[in-house]
Amino acid sequence: TMLYPNLVKAMKDEGVTKTDIANLLGLHFNTVTAKLEGETSSSKAVYQVGFTLIEAVMIKNIFFRRYDLAWLFDFSEHTKTA
């Protein structure tokens, strides 16, 4: 499952690729994929899931100006419990 389903939908609608985001943020393609999927990086001492606030704002400002930041990066579906 994707951590940010709205971001993935917006990417499809606007033709923005993972490579575009990777190039913007200076990250590896696989890192962007992991962030979109909500995977943690086991190589870091601190486990970070998803994009940082700065990364999110950069993605929004460059690729998704007409979208709402909170909507783009909403992960509430991912955190709901049964």
Side-chain angles (χ1 to χ4, degrees):
T1 60
M2 287 289 163
L3 182 59
Y4 306 111
N6 294 343
L7 177 60
V8 172
K9 181 184 185 315
M11 287 170 66
K12 286 179 185 157
D13 292 347
E14 302 295 327
V16 175
T17 67
K18 292 178 190 176
T19 302
D20 293 330
I21 292 175
N23 290 340
L24 171 70
L25 302 178
L27 298 173
H28 193 281
F29 177 87
N30 291 349
T31 304
V32 172
T33 300
K35 285 174 178 273
L36 282 169
E37 293 176 356
E39 293 177 6
T40 56
S41 174
S42 58
S43 62
K44 293 183 180 175
V46 177
Y47 286 79
Q48 181 206 311
V49 177
F51 291 102
T52 66
L53 179 60
I54 292 169
E55 289 169 343
V57 170
M58 286 176 66
I59 291 166
K60 182 222 184 299
N61 287 347
I62 298 299
F63 298 121
F64 305 108
R65 292 198 74 84
R66 66 189 185 87
Y67 291 80
D68 179 66
L69 183 71
W71 181 84
L72 275 174
F73 292 93
D74 177 35
F75 55 88
S76 59
E77 290 298 317
H78 195 77
T79 56
K80 279 184 182 159
T81 53

